[in-house]
Amino acid sequence: MPVTMPDDRPEAPYLELLVRGAPAEAYERPVLRARADKAPADRLAALERAKLLALRVRGELEGRRRREAELSALYETAHDLAGLRDLDAVLQAIVQRARSLLGTEVAYLTLNDPTAGDTYMRVTDGSVSARFQQLRLGMGEGLGGLVAQTARPYVTESYFHDPRFQHTHTIDAGVRDEGLVAILGVPLLLGSGVIGVLFAADRRARVFEREQTALLGSFAAHAAVAIDTAHLLAETRTALAELEAANEIIRDRSRVIERASEVHDRLTELVLRGGGVHDVADAVAEVLSGSVEFLEVDEAPAAAVDRSRADGHAVRDGEEDWVAAVSAGGELLGALVLRGHPRLDPMDQRTLERAAMVTSLLQLARRSAGEAEQRVRGELLDDLLDTPDREPRLLRERAARLRADLDTPHVVLAAGIEAPDTGTPAAGPGAAHGSGPGGAHGSGPGGISGSRSGGAYGGGSGGAPAEDAEGRRRLWSAASHLAVTRHGLAATRDGGTVLLLPLADRDTADALARRTARQLGTAVHAAVTVGASAPVPAPAARPGEVAAGYAEARRCLAALRVLGRAGEGAAAEDFGFLGLLLAGTREGAPDGTGVQDFVTRTVGAVIDYDERRGTELIRTLDAYFAGGMSPARTKDALHVHVNTVAQRLERVGRLLGPDWQSPARSLEIQLALRLHRLASAVGY
């Protein structure tokens, strides 16, 4: 049965107050009531002792309840950390619980920014000021900056009256805008470093107890763990994503390497069984799932090929094409073009480049095999030029073995490479005569079977500069390749190259010369000038016309250079009336006979007079016609007196006849003067 305690016992009323959880001021009422009832002194003393004991018990109970609430809040925070998904949500929960347990009006958290060297507001609870929520504190500035700098907790009962902190206008304006007075800040520690600060603040003066500082520190520790965990999770996710990407790349690389190995095996097999460049193109097309084509130099896209040669890699051409230059020893041999690939994997790009390299090797192998054939072609052309009395039947048989038909119309072309930036011939005067660059007369590069001096177009002695030998070699190589593909003949001669190419139906010698200059120039990457003869109907039947055609082609070549058209191609027909004179005679006349006869017949008397007397009548005639037959402009051009001009023109009239200024005679005289300059330049 329950035990009842007499009501007169002094502790009875306090037990009831403890059970009810009454406030502290209620514990004074039993003592006051006993005094009002004039209780004896011992009764009052007993009540006082009971009151003190009851208040002590009440304090213990309050502390336990508060501790229980704190532990519960810390447990919930740890639980949140265990299931961390959103860092912002966890930090917000920590700030809210800190504010609730400490009973403050505001709680907030700042994080350090190592890049900016300051600390910024991260999470707030209870804040009403936008300016306060966007504050950034420099290290050592304000209470929070001091906590972040020293890694120690700081508390102030009245922030604006506390001289310990470095007050700044920005921070004070934000704190004043929020209305804060009492502030407690504790550091967020990660290892030995501070990553931020957790705050609890009131808008009135307040003293924070040591237990409250410790409690806020516990929440700060949880916040630091949450931030570190979030960073670790982010790094883990990033690492996993990178690992997955790396695995995918490895898988792709493995597939590409397998495909590249397959290409390598197939290309090796093609080379071993003697496959050609088109076989290589087909094999690469099958592996890369596209269309691959080998293009000759004149067919390939020039801009893309130049970029490929410069970069040493395959390059994009347009939206869906890739081009890889095929070259060897600085010489362009063609290009491999992959079509239908907007994007090309780097390994596939390397596959295309490897195929281009194999193609260049095949081209070189084919060239090596064809050099003997080219030598034979040069020997045949040398015989046509030097021995016109050869038996036609033997010439036809030799040509047939080279797949050339010397019974169809052909054109003789003289080609010369120009020195860079000058437009002057790369080969020097008096280059030895032969069918190979840089040597004496012979049938192939460096062949030796005789010698020949500079001749009409060489003028002088000595060989070409050593630095030009490479240019002549490349020109000879390109011309030989062109002769093989066009079923013609090629040889080196007089420091340049001569070709005998068939003339297609509806084609002209002039068009063939321009096309040949362009093709040879592209192949050797230098300006090449090409002069062409009139068509030779049947070289085998009339081999003498080949030598005459060569002389005509060389005159056209020289005329192009004199007229400032180096790097172009032209035939005699391209020069109009001048071309008739350049063509000369076809029946054994020496080089330049037609031109020299015309000049001598027209102005020879004036030339002879100048040579005998040392006068300048020819120069005066040139200036006279250049000045529109005006004596005044003539004397200005010659810097002489007008009477001197009149005397010289009177002498010209006595030498050429009274009608020398008539339209017909003046036209012939002007043409003769032009041809005289041309003949002097080319050594007629």
Side-chain angles (χ1 to χ4, degrees):
M1 57 185 302
V3 178
T4 60
M5 190 174 293
D7 292 340
D8 58 348
R9 296 191 61 175
E11 61 269 15
Y14 294 107
L15 291 176
E16 182 181 354
L17 291 173
L18 288 172
V19 171
R20 289 193 293 110
E25 59 268 18
Y27 286 76
E28 291 292 338
R29 291 172 187 163
V31 177
L32 295 175
R33 190 179 303 117
R35 287 177 180 168
D37 293 342
K38 301 198 182 287
D42 58 344
R43 174 71 176 177
L44 290 176
L47 286 173
E48 283 289 345
R49 287 194 300 273
K51 179 190 75 170
L52 293 177
L53 290 173
L55 286 173
R56 185 183 299 175
V57 172
R58 179 183 180 279
E60 290 290 336
L61 292 175
E62 285 293 327
R64 290 177 183 274
R65 282 195 293 269
R66 186 171 62 252
R67 187 59 180 164
E68 181 181 355
E70 292 172 358
L71 291 175
S72 177
L74 292 174
Y75 173 79
E76 291 174 359
T77 300
H79 183 270
D80 289 342
L81 289 178
L84 179 64
R85 292 294 181 269
D86 184 356
L87 177 62
D88 287 338
V90 173
L91 295 181
Q92 188 68 50
I94 290 173
V95 171
Q96 288 174 349
R97 288 168 188 150
R99 177 191 174 199
S100 174
L101 287 176
L102 270 67
T104 59
E105 296 173 286
V106 181
Y108 51 98
L109 181 149
T110 63
L111 291 180
N112 291 358
D113 186 344
T115 303
D118 61 7
T119 183
Y120 63 95
M121 200 71 69
R122 181 69 164 79
V123 180
T124 65
D125 188 60
S127 172
V128 295
S129 169
R131 178 189 297 181
F132 179 77
Q133 295 168 10
Q134 297 172 2
L135 274 181
R136 297 187 74 95
L137 293 74
M139 291 299 177
E141 296 179 354
L143 184 147
L146 192 58
V147 173
Q149 184 181 54
T150 63
R152 295 173 54 193
Y154 276 86
V155 61
T156 179
E157 299 178 14
S158 179
Y159 176 78
F160 292 103
H161 298 92
D162 197 328
R164 293 177 299 166
F165 314 121
Q166 180 183 343
H167 292 269
T168 66
H169 173 74
T170 302
I171 298 174
D172 286 359
V175 174
R176 187 175 289 108
D177 206 28
E178 188 64 50
L180 300 182
V181 176
I183 304 175
L184 167 63
V186 296
L188 275 68
L189 295 172
L190 197 59
S192 60
V194 179
I195 63 172
V197 180
L198 180 61
F199 299 86
D202 262 336
R203 296 186 176 94
R204 56 185 173 78
R206 170 179 174 173
V207 177
F208 288 96
E209 299 175 0
R210 183 180 300 175
E211 291 80 3
Q212 292 175 319
T213 301
L215 176 61
L216 193 62
S218 298
F219 279 110
H222 282 297
V225 171
I227 294 170
D228 187 44
T229 303
H231 287 166
L232 291 175
L233 287 175
E235 292 174 0
T236 302
R237 293 191 189 100
T238 301
L240 288 174
E242 291 175 352
L243 183 60
E244 180 61 28
N247 287 334
E248 185 62 30
I249 291 174
I250 291 173
R251 287 192 291 268
D252 290 342
R253 292 302 95 191
S254 297
R255 290 192 292 267
V256 171
I257 291 173
E258 290 176 2
R259 190 163 64 249
S261 177
E262 177 187 353
V263 172
H264 181 270
D265 292 343
R266 296 190 61 176
L267 293 180
T268 302
E269 180 184 357
L270 283 174
V271 172
L272 292 177
R273 63 181 175 86
V277 294
H278 296 291
D279 296 322
V280 173
D282 292 341
V284 176
E286 183 177 345
V287 173
L288 299 184
S289 301
S291 171
V292 179
E293 182 180 8
F294 173 75
L295 298 179
E296 299 287 349
V297 174
D298 57 334
E299 299 173 341
V305 170
D306 289 341
R307 285 190 292 117
S308 177
R309 293 187 72 191
D311 296 343
H313 299 288
V315 299
R316 184 193 295 275
D317 181 35
E319 295 295 328
E320 297 187 349
D321 293 351
W322 290 80
V323 175
V326 176
S327 60
E331 180 184 352
L332 181 64
L333 305 175
L336 280 184
V337 179
L338 171 64
R339 307 188 190 280
H341 271 271
R343 295 182 180 178
L344 195 61
D345 183 276
M347 190 63 73
D348 288 342
Q349 182 178 349
R350 179 61 183 151
T351 296
L352 182 61
E353 294 164 0
R354 184 180 292 110
M357 185 182 303
V358 172
T359 302
S360 67
L361 294 176
L362 291 176
Q363 289 289 84
L364 289 178
R366 188 181 71 174
R367 174 176 295 179
S368 298
E371 281 187 357
E373 178 182 337
Q374 293 172 6
R375 193 181 303 276
V376 174
R377 289 177 186 273
E379 292 172 351
L380 177 55
L381 182 52
D382 281 337
D383 287 345
L384 287 170
L385 292 172
D386 298 332
T387 317
D389 56 351
R390 292 274 184 171
E391 172 63 36
R393 179 182 60 82
L394 296 178
L395 293 175
R396 291 188 182 94
E397 289 178 357
R398 292 170 62 186
R401 289 194 292 269
L402 299 172
R403 297 181 298 281
D405 184 3
L406 296 183
D407 287 320
T408 61
H410 281 64
V411 174
V412 183
L413 302 109
I417 190 170
E418 308 298 329
D421 302 326
T422 64
T424 59
H433 167 56
S435 298
H441 180 100
S443 300
I448 301 175
S449 63
S451 63
R452 173 177 168 179
S453 62
Y457 298 88
S461 62
E467 59 267 27
D468 296 335
E470 176 61 21
R472 295 197 306 275
R473 185 197 66 78
R474 289 189 285 115
L475 180 60
W476 152 252
S477 178
S480 299
H481 178 68
L482 184 62
V484 171
T485 58
R486 298 297 177 85
H487 305 292
L489 305 176
T492 57
R493 210 169 175 86
D494 301 306
T497 301
V498 56
L499 297 98
L500 182 65
L501 298 181
L503 188 66
D505 293 341
R506 301 179 183 177
D507 202 359
T508 64
D510 182 54
L512 180 60
R514 291 196 301 270
R515 190 163 59 249
T516 302
R518 184 173 61 253
Q519 292 170 342
L520 293 178
T522 301
V524 302
H525 292 278
V528 175
T529 308
V530 176
S533 71
V536 179
R542 304 180 65 183
E545 293 207 11
V546 176
Y550 175 56
E552 178 182 335
R554 294 202 63 213
R555 285 193 292 273
C556 288
L557 173 62
L560 284 170
R561 286 170 170 167
V562 170
L563 297 175
R565 295 175 57 184
E568 299 182 20
E573 61 191 58
D574 190 41
F575 292 91
F577 176 62
L578 177 60
L580 298 177
L581 299 173
L582 290 173
T585 62
R586 284 300 188 91
E587 295 298 334
D591 294 354
T593 300
V595 174
Q596 189 60 48
D597 287 347
F598 177 81
V599 173
T600 302
R601 184 173 62 252
T602 306
V603 294
V606 180
I607 295 173
D608 291 340
Y609 188 92
D610 278 346
E611 291 176 351
R612 292 194 312 272
R613 304 292 182 89
T615 56
E616 295 184 335
L617 298 184
I618 284 293
R619 182 165 172 254
T620 302
L621 273 177
D622 274 332
Y624 181 63
F625 285 116
M629 302 177 71
S630 166
R633 286 193 287 271
T634 303
K635 64 98 175 175
D636 291 337
L638 297 176
H639 305 290
V640 298
H641 196 275
V642 68
N643 291 337
T644 302
V645 174
Q647 292 171 4
R648 290 180 182 180
L649 294 178
E650 182 182 358
R651 175 63 63 183
V652 169
R654 287 199 297 270
L655 291 172
L656 298 182
D659 64 338
W660 70 278
Q661 296 190 72
S662 65
R665 286 293 306 280
S666 66
L667 176 62
E668 291 184 356
I669 292 171
Q670 291 179 65
L671 180 59
L673 291 172
R674 177 69 62 87
L675 292 174
H676 176 64
R677 291 199 305 272
L678 176 64
S680 299
V682 300
Y684 278 147

